[in-house]
Amino acid sequence: MKNNSVVKVMPQQGPSVASRMKDVLEMLGEDPSREGLLRTPERYEKAMRYLTSGYTANLEEIVNNALFSVKSDSMVIVKDIEFFSMCEHHMLPFFGRMHVGYLPKDKVIGLSKIPRIIDMFARRLQLQERLTQQVGEAMTEAVGPRGVGVLCEARHFCMMMRGVEKQHSGTVTSTMLGAFRSNRATRDEFLSLVGRPV
Ligand SMILES: [Zn+2]
């Protein structure tokens, strides 16, 4: 699912990230003046500013009144929303899919808004656990539903490329709020609809 979040890049203050990256390249034994690396510090800074642009995203701006009154109280689920984030411990990517479900009280949110809410929190230095929780809380704040469930399946480069070097292990985190926490049938319905054993 592709989407374009409102990207606001933090204004630059003091020395640029790029100028520091030249030193980092040297410290890693590289020659920052060789052709392939000449513009790498600037590219790196640009990429990092984009990947952390979630800090300046605003929930209200993202939702932008895309809330619609409903009589139905059936569960709404958006499955398999891909996301890319970076772990705060190693600043290496982790990525995967998120499944978000909620039970409307009196309104529903435009479905395309849910991936953008995820990006708002994924484009930060994160822990998968916190990312999952923040998406659940933001959905609660934005929609005021009877409950929210978020299931997040991810793979972490810091595990795949270094450390334990396990290529195929995944990490699953979940957040259950409101009726999804208090009502087992609701939680089970969500988990079975997203294809997880209940
Ligand atoms: Zn890590």
Side-chain angles (χ1 to χ4, degrees):
M1 212 176 287
K2 279 268 169 276
N3 59 91
N4 300 303
S5 285
V6 186
V7 176
K8 272 188 267 172
V9 164
M10 293 285 281
Q12 191 175 308
Q13 288 155 345
S16 67
V17 175
S19 66
R20 298 288 165 89
M21 278 312 293
K22 260 179 217 151
D23 294 338
V24 172
L25 284 170
E26 245 163 38
M27 287 171 195
L28 294 174
E30 264 295 353
D31 170 12
S33 66
R34 73 178 172 88
E35 196 189 358
L37 292 179
L38 269 182
R39 293 194 51 234
T40 297
E42 285 75 24
R43 288 192 205 98
Y44 178 81
E45 172 160 10
K46 205 173 162 196
M48 290 303 291
R49 288 188 182 277
Y50 180 77
L51 297 176
T52 57
S53 58
Y55 289 120
T56 49
N58 177 289
L59 184 61
E60 216 175 284
E61 262 175 53
I62 287 170
V63 176
N64 192 23
N65 295 320
L67 294 166
F68 310 99
S69 298
V70 284
K71 290 253 161 26
S72 156
D73 60 355
S74 307
M75 189 177 293
V76 179
I77 295 179
V78 182
K79 272 171 67 164
D80 294 317
I81 305 167
E82 64 182 32
F83 73 89
F84 299 87
S85 188
M86 277 197 304
C87 83
E88 66 184 17
H89 295 148
H90 304 94
M91 290 179 72
L92 286 171
F94 68 96
F95 65 100
R97 294 178 303 174
M98 229 183 255
H99 317 290
V100 178
Y102 68 98
L103 264 184
K105 197 186 286 170
D106 45 20
K107 45 191 178 176
V108 292
I109 185 168
L111 292 180
S112 67
K113 299 298 185 183
I114 296 176
R116 296 183 60 184
I117 291 174
I118 292 173
D119 282 344
M120 169 177 173
F121 296 103
R123 288 180 187 154
R124 301 177 185 201
L125 300 184
Q126 272 291 10
L127 295 173
Q128 184 180 336
E129 296 88 336
R130 187 172 62 221
L131 171 62
T132 311
Q133 181 78 23
Q134 285 176 329
V135 169
E137 285 167 0
M139 282 293 294
T140 303
E141 187 185 331
V143 194
R146 290 192 288 142
V148 175
V150 182
L151 195 72
C152 177
E153 304 171 288
R155 295 172 70 196
H156 293 246
F157 272 94
C158 59
M159 282 181 71
M160 294 162 69
M161 296 177 71
R162 55 162 292 287
V164 289
E165 293 190 21
K166 294 294 176 225
Q167 307 298 312
H168 301 291
S169 59
T171 310
V172 180
T173 49
S174 75
T175 293
M176 301 289 166
L177 303 173
F180 283 64
R181 174 169 289 273
S182 58
N183 187 327
R184 170 130 200 219
T186 300
R187 187 166 63 241
D188 288 355
E189 182 186 347
F190 170 65
L191 291 172
S192 74
L193 286 170
V194 299
R196 304 294 303 188
V198 293

